[in-house]
Amino acid sequence: MENKEVIVRTDKLSKSFSVGGKQQHVIKNLDLEIYKGDFTVIVGSSGAGKSTLLYMLSGMDKPSLGKVNYYGVDITDMNDDKLAVFRRKHCGFVFQQIHLVDSMSVMDNVISTGMLIGQKQKELKAKATLLFDKMGISEELTCKFPAQISGGEAQRAAVVRALINDPDIVFADEPTGALNSAGVRAVLDVLTDINNAGQSVVMVTHDIKSVFRGNRIIYLQDGGIMGECDPGRYVSGDKQRHEKIRKFLEDMGW
Amino acid sequence: MVKLVKSGFRKDKAILSVFLLIIVISVFILHSGIFASMYSRLYDEYAHDQELADGFAYTDADHEFVESVLAKNKDIVSYAVQDMLEIRSIKYTTSRNSKEKTDIWSIQRFGDNTGCKNLGFEEYDGSVSGRRIYITSFTAAVKKLHTGDKININTVNGKLEYTVAGVFQYLLMDNLYLVDGDSFDELAELSGSRVMSIAYLYAKDGADTGDVMQNVKTALQNGGRFYIDGYSSEEYRSYYTVIVNVLAGFMAVFALIIMMICMIMIVFTINNNISRDIVNIGVLRAAGYTVRQIRAALTAEYVIVGAVGAMAGIVLSYVLFPVMDKGFIREICGIIWKKQLYPAISFAVLAVVVIFMIGTAYFSTKKIKDLHPATALRFGLKSNSFKKNHFPLSNTRGELNLLLALKSSMQNMGQNVTIFFIITAVAFVTMIAGLLYYNTKVDITYYQRMIQGDSPDIYIYPEDNSYDSAYSLIEKIRSINGVSQAYGLDSVTASTGGVEVTLIYVTDPDYVYCGIYEGEIMRKDNEVVVGSSVAAKLGVGVGDEIAVEYGDKSRRYLVTGLQQNVLSSRLYMTDKAAQEIGIDTVYNSLRVRVKNADARKVDDVIDGIESHLTGITRIRNNYRELRSNDYAPVLAVAIGVFVMIILSIATVILVIRLLIKTVFIRKEREFGIKKAVGFTSKQLRYQLALSLMPTTLAASVLGAVLGYFLLNPLFTLILGGYGIRDANLLLQPLLILITAAAVTGMVFVFCFLMSGRMKKMSAYKLIQE
């Protein structure tokens, strides 16, 4: 593990919200490193602070205290627009609610994201077509609006959008939460495939099938890391690996 | 039901507060516009209260002769004949303005009959010592004078200092000044002006005061070629109120435009809110609320806002109108506003607004009329009918923000229609404002001609006003460098077919502008151009003949043209034609136009005339006077232009604010997603502003073009009752371009600036919301 390259490092990261005039500490003094090439899964019970942590790691939300360093650069104090530029260059996102822009076709959702970093439209179209093809999305579907395709198809399209700018990390927030079982499998396979191809992935989930896909599993509880497990790369049908993860989660009280 | 309304208020308070503001402004303008249109009625009330004479005539005949003429007239119930000094070029300064001015003053002795039972003093100071002078409220407003202020009169034989001892409302002559008896004699002596007789007449009930005045003047003229002038109170009422009525007309038009904008925005907002709250509506329906109750609750929000806004606008109008009256309206119309309640007007305005709100809001909620609760809960009203993918990014070349803005624009047709109507109205108002500004500040010629007729750059008052001397002086003036035209124009009162007219005679018809809208200018000695109102009264047109009477002479003239300008019953003829009926064609002033006139060139020509010519008592720089805000028609337009520009800006700000609020509600998630994937706030704001541009540009051009083509018809409509048949104000096509660019730019800038909230929201929060 010591040879792995650190992409994101947090330093005493904290996040608190004011609820009814009372401060609620969602993340508390959290130190964490995310490594290049890993499929990091952050798991925990509801309200553990998983999504909050993910959005702070990706520069979508700002911590109340502490720092987030990205390849050694502190992104905590960047302003809103600088963070947007940071995200377009370095991060890809897959959300639970899919969050494709309703008013744009599937292809336009992807191309507009690519154009943000100055990629040429022609090259983008070729790259997107290739990615869509890999994700099993036909050309016909790419011309449709998000509301006209299924949830699974839309989420795979969202993965294409996340990958179009060759990000350093893909952040996935419960990407299977709104899908049926066939959709869940398809999306997890896509994420596993891209990770196997070298893409770093950080995924937040509370779905056991999703947890199995990670090579590094972090258990979050009450705003802190309660435990960590390194079961190795995902191999379909590897019962020993699955058992190890199951045991880890049991130990964590899940 | 009450709870529903309360909850609606809580949720929509930001948007409702914007509507409240729009309604307060529009009702304030409408209510104040109606107030402004009431000065004619107010004139009649004051005339009744003050027992105002039906007219006055002044002449250089003596009292006895005047009284004998009046006594013979059976339509006159009573009369009073008094001394009056008319100083045609009195020079004076005031303690408020040290620059010497020259005016025409009519002066009477304080205490003499002035054709009204009481002077209605607005200000009075009995403790003033020295020479006292009493001025009309019109004069006080224009010259910014109050009791205690000094007026220094410079006569050829010495200076006299007066102290203003009173300001009174007088409705027959705006330029009447009252001085104490001793001062009157002293002023007559020092100024060398002849004391004239002024007769105030009270006509029988039912008698036509115009006819009575005409008969009196004719009888005076028949008695011996006297200098005679005079007006009926009806003529003075029109004179006092014409400009303020134009202002009132414009205010009413603006108020209606704002109301229309408000109506469109309400339809747009309610539709957006219904889409936003459709699930809640489904829940309410499921809980047992009827559609009628839900629609009534939604309608009630806007009706309450309308009623409160209307009441606030009305109250504001009651509070601010007296301030506006003192501030500028009195300078335009000279009548003091009566502070009192006008319940009929106020209730009518309130009722109109409430009815208008009920209608608009109820109409806007019709989309939920047949909504089934299950449909609302499961599917809402979203149709996602993005049937066409406009400007697909994979095939359309272009800059990302521009392409996304165009896509967004094409997908919001409802919003486009709303913006189109509103911006068309805003551009229309702005264009009208621009054209009015152009017609008063850049080239006032046509506006001035419409209001007053022929308008030179310079007036020259000769020492010798005889016909021969005038021609000789005109020749000399023409030789001055920079002079384009020099000519004589003067007038007498004559009549035709029993209608009293101002007969204008001229040296050179081709130099005179008389607003001919049909036919052509008179050139021969048997030709005449007739004013629109005279032609209408006589039922004559081009090619007909009319008999013109002056004194005991009469002659027939061929009508070659019909002319128009505000408040005039005029005839135009050459001076030789005028001589045919015995008019002594003297020229009290000569007129000069300057080549390619501007302020400097006019000054240069005046310098040239002063240094090269003699036999001139006074030179008036009309070019500068007309462009000054002291000139009531210019002041009225300046106020109108100011109000229109402020209104346009305020409307754009309010509409953009409202639009952004609804767009934020509708597109919050989309903005969040875009921010998450790396769009900056600046890019999103730029896209939002840019997405409004195609519609805004089209609407701005349309509004400006409409303003360009409708300015003159609008003026014709408003001034139709005052003799304007076909207004011909200058139209500057370049202003279409400037207006379209200004309005489009304004929308872009305000939209960009006012969407700053985007900057404060993190992508995470926008998605969460």
Side-chain angles (χ1 to χ4, degrees):
Chain A
M1 190 181 281
E2 57 273 12
N3 294 328
K4 284 187 176 175
E5 190 178 359
V6 176
I7 304 178
V8 183
R9 175 180 286 125
T10 70
D11 178 19
K12 300 203 179 339
L13 200 65
S14 297
K15 180 78 179 177
S16 53
F17 299 105
S18 175
V19 181
K22 251 186 152 184
Q23 286 295 308
Q24 297 234 339
H25 302 283
V26 183
I27 300 290
K28 298 170 198 164
N29 288 322
L30 191 138
D31 292 327
L32 172 67
E33 287 176 340
I34 303 293
Y35 305 106
K36 191 173 181 182
D38 271 3
F39 192 138
T40 309
V41 172
I42 300 171
V43 68
S45 56
S46 182
K50 304 185 294 288
S51 292
T52 306
L53 175 61
L54 186 87
Y55 288 123
M56 283 194 291
L57 292 176
S58 60
M60 283 248 288
D61 199 12
K62 291 203 169 195
S64 305
L65 284 170
K67 302 274 181 199
V68 178
N69 285 288
Y70 185 86
Y71 276 125
V73 177
D74 182 5
I75 63 164
T76 323
D77 296 326
M78 282 185 180
N79 68 24
D80 197 42
D81 281 354
K82 276 190 178 162
L83 281 172
V85 174
F86 160 78
R87 286 195 298 272
R88 71 168 73 143
K89 285 182 182 165
H90 303 289
C91 309
F93 291 94
V94 184
F95 304 97
Q96 180 181 359
Q97 275 82 25
I98 302 165
H99 287 329
L100 288 172
V101 177
D102 292 340
S103 56
M104 286 200 271
S105 72
V106 170
M107 178 63 94
D108 282 355
N109 264 282
V110 173
I111 290 187
S112 64
T113 308
M115 285 173 79
L116 274 173
I117 59 164
Q119 297 190 67
K120 298 228 165 75
Q121 281 156 282
K122 207 173 165 185
E123 290 163 15
L124 270 170
K125 191 184 175 187
K127 191 173 171 186
T129 307
L130 203 68
L131 283 168
F132 278 126
D133 193 40
K134 269 191 186 173
M135 303 293 158
I137 294 173
S138 68
E139 198 179 337
E140 191 192 345
L141 284 186
T142 64
C143 299
K144 294 193 170 177
F145 288 98
Q148 294 170 316
I149 61 176
S150 74
E153 288 164 340
Q155 193 61 296
R156 279 182 279 146
V159 175
V160 175
R161 181 182 64 184
L163 296 175
I164 195 72
N165 288 346
D166 301 318
D168 297 327
I169 308 184
V170 168
F171 292 95
D173 181 13
E174 312 240 15
T176 58
L179 304 178
N180 60 23
S181 57
V184 169
R185 189 178 177 80
V187 169
L188 290 178
D189 284 349
V190 164
L191 290 174
T192 308
D193 288 350
I194 59 168
N195 177 247
N196 288 338
Q199 175 69 57
S200 311
V201 177
V202 177
M203 179 170 72
V204 159
T205 188
H206 61 255
D207 167 43
I208 186 74
K209 283 181 192 155
S210 303
V211 178
F212 286 143
R213 301 297 178 120
N215 68 313
R216 183 185 176 207
I217 297 154
I218 295 168
Y219 193 88
L220 211 63
Q221 185 158 313
D222 298 332
I225 297 172
M226 198 180 162
E228 196 174 324
C229 170
D230 187 359
R233 298 257 161 214
Y234 171 74
V235 180
S236 180
D238 185 344
K239 287 191 178 163
Q240 203 179 343
R241 182 179 176 279
H242 282 30
E243 205 45 51
K244 188 177 176 185
I245 293 171
R246 218 179 275 280
K247 173 92 179 33
F248 166 71
L249 292 174
E250 251 178 48
D251 290 348
M252 296 292 114
W254 208 45
Chain B
M1 171 82 175
V2 176
K3 278 184 184 168
L4 273 186
V5 177
K6 272 188 180 172
S7 127
F9 267 112
R10 266 196 301 275
K11 205 171 351 175
D12 298 329
K13 68 179 172 209
I15 284 176
L16 290 175
S17 60
V18 175
F19 278 122
L20 184 74
L21 203 59
I22 294 176
I23 289 165
V24 171
I25 292 171
S26 61
V27 169
F28 167 71
I29 294 170
L30 181 64
H31 202 259
S32 300
I34 296 171
F35 274 179
S37 71
M38 287 174 63
Y39 279 98
S40 299
R41 205 180 93 180
L42 219 52
Y43 184 97
D44 290 341
E45 281 180 23
Y46 279 123
H48 182 263
D49 294 346
Q50 294 186 342
E51 296 182 36
L52 196 71
D54 293 312
F56 67 92
Y58 56 95
T59 169
D60 51 4
D62 60 33
H63 284 215
E64 269 179 52
F65 176 73
V66 175
E67 281 170 0
S68 69
V69 166
L70 298 175
K72 284 177 201 160
N73 192 316
K74 288 175 183 168
D75 286 325
I76 296 174
V77 181
S78 65
Y79 56 84
V81 182
Q82 303 287 338
D83 286 342
M84 188 192 89
L85 260 181
E86 190 192 48
I87 308 181
R88 295 193 71 83
S89 54
I90 192 165
K91 293 179 177 177
Y92 65 94
T93 59
T94 70
S95 48
R96 303 270 174 177
N97 186 355
S98 58
K99 197 179 166 195
E100 189 176 80
K101 294 198 89 176
T102 309
D103 275 342
I104 301 171
W105 283 19
S106 301
I107 305 161
Q108 273 190 254
R109 291 186 187 89
F110 180 63
D112 277 2
N113 194 325
T114 53
C116 63
K117 286 284 185 265
N118 63 74
L119 284 173
F121 275 103
E122 193 193 7
E123 289 180 40
Y124 183 81
D125 184 357
S127 66
V128 167
S129 57
R131 292 188 191 89
R132 287 179 292 190
I133 191 163
Y134 305 86
I135 60 176
T136 64
S137 49
F138 202 160
T139 302
V142 172
K143 301 187 193 320
K144 320 271 185 247
L145 292 174
H146 296 278
T147 48
D149 286 336
K150 306 286 182 194
I151 299 178
N152 296 292
I153 297 172
N154 301 325
T155 71
V156 282
N157 299 311
K159 293 183 177 181
L160 296 169
E161 185 185 84
Y162 286 87
T163 305
V164 177
V167 175
F168 59 98
Q169 165 140 285
Y170 189 62
L171 303 171
L172 281 180
M173 267 184 282
D174 54 308
N175 65 340
L176 181 69
Y177 294 78
L178 302 177
V179 295
D180 293 330
D182 295 344
S183 292
F184 183 88
D185 298 335
E186 190 180 21
L187 194 55
E189 195 184 329
L190 285 179
S191 68
S193 302
R194 191 178 162 190
V195 176
M196 302 175 88
S197 301
I198 182 162
Y200 294 100
L201 329 168
Y202 291 87
K204 257 186 194 170
D205 281 348
D208 184 321
T209 52
D211 288 347
V212 175
M213 287 299 300
Q214 171 59 19
N215 293 338
V216 167
K217 285 197 221 173
T218 308
L220 286 170
Q221 269 171 352
N222 290 342
R225 301 292 169 82
F226 297 115
Y227 172 81
I228 299 155
D229 207 350
Y231 299 93
S232 68
S233 58
E234 278 181 12
E235 283 175 302
Y236 246 90
R237 182 180 56 190
S238 297
Y239 166 72
Y240 271 131
T241 57
V242 59
I243 301 295
V244 79
N245 280 342
V246 173
L247 200 62
F250 272 105
M251 285 171 92
V253 171
F254 300 152
L256 291 175
I257 289 175
I258 298 175
M259 287 272 191
M260 195 189 81
I261 290 172
C262 186
M263 187 181 78
I264 296 167
M265 286 309 292
I266 286 174
V267 175
F268 177 70
T269 308
I270 290 182
N271 274 297
N272 270 318
N273 287 359
I274 288 174
S275 300
R276 179 197 66 187
D277 297 336
I278 194 67
V279 175
N280 287 345
I281 292 169
V283 171
L284 291 172
R285 289 280 288 118
Y289 280 91
T290 64
V291 168
R292 187 176 286 184
Q293 280 175 312
I294 295 167
R295 288 183 77 184
L298 280 169
T299 306
E301 280 179 45
Y302 289 87
V303 173
I304 292 168
V305 166
V308 171
M311 283 191 276
I314 289 167
V315 170
L316 204 61
S317 175
Y318 274 107
V319 173
L320 290 184
F321 196 80
V323 180
M324 286 158 65
D325 173 66
K326 270 202 158 179
F328 61 89
I329 296 178
R330 205 176 295 174
E331 280 185 51
I332 296 167
C333 80
I335 300 167
I336 298 170
W337 179 248
K338 270 187 186 173
K339 283 186 218 168
Q340 62 183 52
L341 277 177
Y342 297 88
I345 293 170
S346 304
F347 277 117
V349 170
L350 180 65
V352 165
V353 173
V354 169
I355 291 167
F356 149 87
M357 293 303 271
I358 290 173
T360 309
Y362 205 70
F363 166 79
S364 309
T365 57
K366 75 172 185 194
K367 70 197 274 186
I368 57 167
K369 198 173 148 195
D370 301 316
L371 186 72
H372 194 274
T375 315
L377 287 167
R378 291 180 65 195
F379 308 112
L381 287 171
K382 278 186 187 169
S383 57
N384 276 324
S385 57
F386 305 119
K387 285 181 185 135
K388 188 156 191 261
N389 183 23
H390 301 278
F391 307 106
L393 297 179
S394 50
N395 303 327
T396 316
R397 282 197 173 180
E399 199 265 334
L400 176 64
N401 294 308
L402 182 67
L403 290 175
L404 291 183
L406 285 174
K407 284 170 89 73
S408 169
S409 176
M410 296 299 288
Q411 285 167 347
N412 292 297
M413 290 320 283
Q415 179 181 298
N416 288 346
V417 170
T418 308
I419 292 171
F420 188 81
F421 279 113
I422 293 168
I423 299 301
T424 301
V426 167
F428 175 76
V429 171
T430 309
M431 183 69 186
I432 295 278
L435 286 170
L436 287 178
Y437 181 85
Y438 189 82
N439 274 279
T440 49
K441 293 291 179 187
V442 180
D443 187 346
I444 196 172
T445 323
Y446 286 72
Y447 179 65
Q448 161 67 8
R449 284 171 176 176
M450 190 173 76
I451 301 292
Q452 286 190 333
D454 187 73
S455 166
D457 296 322
I458 301 164
Y459 283 102
I460 293 175
Y461 295 85
E463 277 173 9
D464 181 355
N465 66 356
S466 68
Y467 177 81
D468 292 338
S469 172
Y471 270 86
S472 161
L473 189 54
I474 285 169
E475 278 311 309
K476 288 176 189 165
I477 294 167
R478 283 175 182 163
S479 68
I480 300 290
N481 198 22
V483 171
S484 141
Q485 294 168 350
Y487 56 102
L489 184 153
D490 221 310
S491 65
V492 292
T493 303
S495 66
T496 174
V499 178
E500 183 185 301
V501 292
T502 302
L503 190 156
I504 294 167
Y505 53 88
V506 300
T507 55
D508 300 272
D510 287 332
Y511 290 168
V512 175
Y513 174 85
C514 54
I516 291 177
Y517 64 92
E518 193 182 328
E520 56 185 47
I521 191 93
M522 72 293 162
R523 287 197 178 81
K524 294 179 184 161
D525 299 346
N526 65 338
E527 292 178 346
V528 69
V529 164
V530 180
S532 60
S533 55
V534 180
K537 278 182 195 164
L538 299 180
V540 296
V542 174
D544 292 337
E545 277 195 356
I546 58 167
V548 181
E549 297 104 34
Y550 181 74
D552 54 358
K553 284 200 172 182
S554 173
R555 188 173 186 259
R556 295 190 73 77
Y557 291 86
L558 175 70
V559 178
T560 61
L562 302 178
Q563 66 87 220
Q564 57 176 352
N565 60 280
V566 173
L567 283 183
S568 71
S569 298
R570 295 184 177 186
L571 297 183
Y572 282 79
M573 57 176 68
T574 62
D575 48 18
K576 288 193 177 58
Q579 286 163 7
E580 297 277 322
I581 43 170
I583 294 169
D584 180 10
T585 50
V586 296
Y587 287 100
N588 290 303
S589 67
L590 301 174
R591 299 176 174 220
V592 177
R593 288 208 180 89
V594 173
K595 276 178 204 161
N596 304 319
D598 61 28
R600 193 184 52 79
K601 284 178 187 158
V602 172
D603 290 345
D604 288 347
V605 168
I606 290 175
D607 288 346
I609 292 170
E610 278 174 341
S611 55
H612 290 98
L613 302 182
T614 54
I616 293 167
T617 59
R618 187 163 72 93
I619 298 174
R620 230 175 88 200
N621 188 332
N622 197 42
Y623 184 91
R624 284 189 186 274
E625 278 181 26
L626 292 182
R627 284 152 184 82
S628 147
N629 276 355
D630 287 348
Y631 179 53
V634 170
L635 176 67
V637 168
I639 292 159
V641 167
F642 177 74
V643 170
M644 282 187 271
I645 295 294
I646 294 293
L647 271 182
S648 296
I649 294 172
T651 307
V652 168
I653 290 175
L654 290 176
V655 166
I656 297 291
R657 187 175 152 78
L658 211 57
L659 189 80
I660 285 174
K661 277 188 179 300
T662 49
V663 166
F664 258 91
I665 290 168
R666 208 154 37 89
K667 292 194 157 186
E668 205 142 46
R669 189 174 149 271
E670 180 179 323
F671 293 147
I673 297 168
K674 283 184 173 172
K675 282 192 101 172
V677 298
F679 282 88
T680 62
S681 304
K682 204 172 166 186
Q683 279 180 308
L684 295 180
R685 291 163 69 194
Y686 182 53
Q687 282 170 29
L688 180 60
L690 218 50
S691 72
L692 304 179
M693 289 302 102
T695 311
T696 303
L697 189 62
S700 298
V701 171
L702 178 69
V705 169
L706 283 176
Y708 182 88
F709 286 109
L710 292 181
L711 175 75
N712 281 318
L714 197 62
F715 259 86
T716 305
L717 186 73
I718 293 171
L719 291 174
Y722 294 98
I724 294 298
R725 295 288 174 272
D726 186 12
N728 60 345
L729 290 172
L730 269 177
L731 300 172
Q732 170 57 263
L734 187 64
L735 281 174
I736 296 177
L737 205 65
I738 294 171
T739 301
V743 172
T744 309
M746 189 162 67
V747 170
F748 182 87
V749 170
F750 283 135
C751 185
F752 186 80
L753 294 177
M754 291 165 77
S755 56
R757 183 188 156 203
M758 194 101 71
K759 210 163 56 179
K760 292 177 188 159
M761 304 279 288
S762 75
Y764 179 54
K765 271 187 191 159
L766 278 169
I767 293 176
Q768 293 300 304
E769 288 194 14

